[in-house]
Amino acid sequence: MPNNIMGCDTAAIQLNPVIASSFNAHYYEPIPSSRYLFRSDEFWRGLDRWKDIDAELFLNHLWQEKNAITSVAALGDLIKNRISTAFLRDIEEGHQLAPMSIRLTPYVLSLIDWDNPFLDPLRRQFLPLASEKLVDHPMLKLDPMGEQNDSPAPGLTHRYPDRVLFLATNVCPVYCRYCTRSYAVGLDTDVVTKQKINAPGERWEPAFRYIEANSSVEDVVISGGDAYRLKARQITEIGERLLDIPHVRRMRFATKGLAVLPMKVQSDHDWTDAISRLSDRARKMGKSIAIHTHFNHPNEITAITAKALGILYERGVEVRNQAVILRGVNNSKQAMHRLNECLAYLNVRPYYCFQGDMIQGVETLRTSICDSIELEKATRGLIAGHNTPHFIVDLPGGGGKRDIHSYDYYDKQLGVAVYRAPAVKKDKLFLYCDPLHALSPESQALWINPESRVQLLDDVLKSAK
Ligand SMILES: *Cc1c(COP(=O)(O)O)cnc(C)c1O
Ligand code: SF4
């Protein structure tokens, strides 16, 4: 592991003086609009450690990666003079109970408002607090979608007829508390030993062979982990290999990177070139390649993001967004609307907005089905339909993605919705449970008691049929 407590080692990083100019030459600067003046101050200088870091260094992805914070101790060292010892202890204790390890870029760390960290939407996404921990619903799991069950090759999930999910790596530029793959992504924590999926470059061949042998597979989602942690040559290797398979028509590389390390698009020429060359080649073949990214809150968007997304747009790389509805982060009409209008302005297509997965250990971030439906109602119609995401629940047990409001049955009192997914698993019923904190004490008690829980589930399934 890199020594992340080290300060700014300016000598170690060779800055490429043509970085900015070579990309900027073609980039069309949109006319600034007062509604979309993204923050362009040197916000990182607000943290003591980085007060002398100039823009050139801060905008270098190697510097960002080298100075990423990967432990609570290193985090404490960075922010101890900005927060109380009680708050730091709260983070330490929260981390001991958390299924995800810590990793944060200087970019994200310096966008957090350390004068008000409790409410900060970025802090809430990445840093757990023991004091906000809520009791887990008894139906929660670490792999709620059962990805391991639908897996014909290491790191490959084949659930839908025409597309597969390929987990090419198990690491990300940051770790999110609510990760859908808490069973596998990141380092082991005190409470979770991660299942091994692919480390970068390992064991991809069986997945490629499976895709080659199955002509129904037209669409490949390359995820992980995160495509930002794949090297340029690995992006090229995966992309070229898949483009060479005649029946593969569409491909998406999934990364949260644009939201947490946007400068990479500008400073890692090899990576950006690899993606854009693939995108060009795909287009010439009548195929398509896109990036699926993961912005959750407008505070993640700065002038650096606008530049990165401008470069990708100018180079013809399509970018779509998959957000997660997170309580206290983006479950308000204002935050969700602002997120979607900023993404639309930056030519990112808001694609999905997911109901929080039924993952252990992060109940404070989940919303109920009825709250998410209200959020969808409040949001739809404010901007164009093609810029309004689908509000989706990824069904526990592997039923795939459904519109949140398309349940067959919903008991709001007990906080349980029943869905069918006839195109994916015929005749099977799938349950999504609201978090206990959204329910009355009586309903909570019915779930917590194992006997009444069995009865309750039985009754719900009967009513749904
Ligand atoms: C989400 C997902 C896909 C892609 O689904 P879309 O609805 O096309 O975005 C494919 N396979 C698996 C296993 C998935 O979870
Ligand atoms: S970036 Fe994606 S895969 Fe990585 S921790 Fe976050 S949600 Fe999980």
Side-chain angles (χ1 to χ4, degrees):
M1 279 276 89
N3 175 2
N4 42 63
I5 316 180
M6 91 176 76
C8 37
D9 186 357
T10 41
I13 294 167
Q14 292 293 312
L15 277 178
N16 181 345
V18 297
I19 280 172
S21 57
S22 72
F23 274 121
N24 288 354
H26 313 283
Y27 174 47
Y28 171 71
E29 294 279 353
I31 299 161
S33 137
S34 59
R35 283 184 63 66
Y36 299 101
L37 286 178
F38 300 113
R39 124 170 244 197
S40 59
D41 58 321
E42 300 193 336
F43 53 86
W44 58 90
R45 293 189 192 253
L47 281 173
D48 262 0
R49 165 110 34 105
W50 297 322
K51 67 178 187 307
D52 295 326
I53 299 297
D54 61 17
E56 203 183 7
L57 198 52
F58 191 79
L59 294 180
N60 187 297
H61 70 285
L62 295 176
W63 183 87
Q64 290 282 331
E65 280 163 19
K66 186 163 183 174
N67 289 279
I69 292 294
T70 58
S71 71
V72 180
L75 178 72
D77 216 46
L78 179 77
I79 53 170
K80 60 178 181 290
N81 60 352
R82 294 291 301 277
I83 57 168
S84 66
T85 44
F87 192 77
L88 188 55
R89 200 168 323 117
D90 206 357
I91 295 181
E92 282 162 5
E93 287 169 9
H95 180 62
Q96 282 162 13
L97 305 169
M100 294 298 289
S101 51
I102 283 192
R103 185 182 170 93
L104 283 169
T105 54
Y107 175 80
V108 170
L109 283 162
S110 40
L111 284 173
I112 293 174
D113 176 5
W114 291 109
D115 296 326
N116 196 3
F118 188 80
L119 293 175
D120 188 274
L122 299 188
R123 194 285 300 163
R124 282 180 72 81
Q125 284 185 62
F126 301 110
L127 295 170
L129 300 180
S131 63
E132 57 176 13
K133 174 109 178 148
L134 296 172
V135 178
D136 273 1
H137 195 290
M139 301 290 280
L140 301 185
K141 295 201 167 105
L142 281 172
D143 176 15
M145 259 61 78
E147 290 181 338
Q148 300 292 76
N149 309 338
D150 288 339
S151 178
L156 201 69
T157 301
H158 192 178
R159 171 168 306 146
Y160 300 105
D162 71 329
R163 54 210 188 282
V164 291
L165 169 68
F166 174 38
L167 305 179
T169 170
N170 62 343
V171 289
C172 306
V174 297
Y175 293 123
C176 315
R177 289 169 68 188
Y178 50 88
C179 178
T180 188
R181 266 168 225 125
S182 292
Y183 69 92
V185 165
L187 306 178
D188 291 347
T189 70
D190 289 355
V191 294
V192 180
T193 305
K194 305 284 166 166
Q195 288 186 39
K196 295 284 164 277
I197 52 169
N198 289 332
E202 262 178 41
R203 303 192 297 170
W204 290 346
E205 197 51 34
F208 293 147
R209 294 235 170 96
Y210 177 86
I211 297 167
E212 265 163 359
N214 283 273
S215 58
S216 63
V217 177
E218 297 185 6
D219 190 335
V220 183
V221 179
I222 300 131
S223 186
D226 191 298
Y228 247 47
R229 298 286 301 270
L230 295 171
K231 299 203 163 47
R233 65 171 166 74
Q234 296 174 315
I235 296 275
T236 304
E237 181 189 335
I238 296 171
E240 295 286 349
R241 181 72 187 266
L242 293 174
L243 280 178
D244 286 339
I245 301 174
H247 52 265
V248 172
R249 307 284 308 164
R250 296 171 291 280
M251 220 182 286
R252 342 166 184 168
F253 285 93
T255 174
K256 189 165 170 79
L258 296 171
V260 295
L261 191 65
M263 54 285 286
K264 183 178 170 87
V265 173
Q266 212 175 337
S267 69
D268 190 347
H269 285 198
D270 291 344
W271 193 89
T272 305
D273 282 347
I275 288 277
S276 99
R277 263 198 298 264
L278 280 179
S279 157
D280 291 347
R281 184 176 170 224
R283 189 167 288 107
K284 290 203 180 84
M285 299 170 82
K287 302 187 174 190
S288 80
I289 284 186
I291 291 180
H292 277 212
T293 192
H294 177 183
F295 287 92
N296 284 328
H297 193 275
N299 286 11
E300 293 163 353
I301 300 173
T302 63
I304 307 169
T305 328
K307 177 72 85 180
L309 293 170
I311 290 167
L312 292 171
Y313 189 67
E314 188 276 332
R315 290 184 148 209
V317 180
E318 172 143 14
V319 183
R320 306 186 193 115
N321 193 60
Q322 302 192 168
V324 180
I325 304 171
L326 298 169
R327 185 167 157 264
V329 175
N330 59 13
N331 65 330
S332 67
K333 176 185 162 187
Q334 291 75 10
M336 187 55 72
H337 177 214
R338 184 68 186 150
L339 174 67
N340 291 328
E341 72 176 0
C342 289
L343 291 172
Y345 180 82
L346 295 167
N347 294 302
V348 174
R349 188 76 61 227
Y351 174 48
Y352 279 160
C353 193
F354 286 109
Q355 177 72 5
D357 289 324
M358 286 176 58
I359 293 279
Q360 287 168 350
V362 279
E363 282 297 72
T364 185
L365 293 179
R366 277 207 308 142
T367 57
S368 63
I369 291 285
C370 52
D371 283 357
S372 298
I373 289 175
E374 286 308 312
L375 184 64
E376 193 266 356
K377 269 192 197 148
T379 313
R380 188 165 300 282
L382 290 171
I383 58 173
H386 63 89
N387 281 322
T388 304
H390 300 285
F391 286 70
I392 292 289
V393 54
D394 204 346
L395 292 176
K401 294 160 182 87
R402 298 271 114 190
D403 275 332
I404 295 182
H405 52 71
S406 71
Y407 52 75
D408 283 69
Y409 176 83
Y410 181 37
D411 187 324
K412 200 167 159 178
Q413 249 59 50
L414 291 170
V416 56
V418 183
Y419 294 83
R420 281 189 178 82
V424 182
K425 291 201 174 114
K426 208 166 158 276
D427 302 329
K428 207 175 157 198
L429 295 177
F430 297 90
L431 297 181
Y432 183 92
C433 301
D434 291 340
L436 292 180
H437 61 73
L439 307 181
S440 68
E442 296 75 33
S443 296
Q444 294 187 20
L446 287 174
W447 280 109
I448 288 168
N449 179 319
E451 276 156 35
S452 54
R453 187 190 318 148
V454 171
Q455 186 61 46
L456 179 167
L457 287 169
D458 221 45
D459 293 347
V460 164
L461 290 173
K462 270 198 205 108
S463 311
K465 278 175 189 148

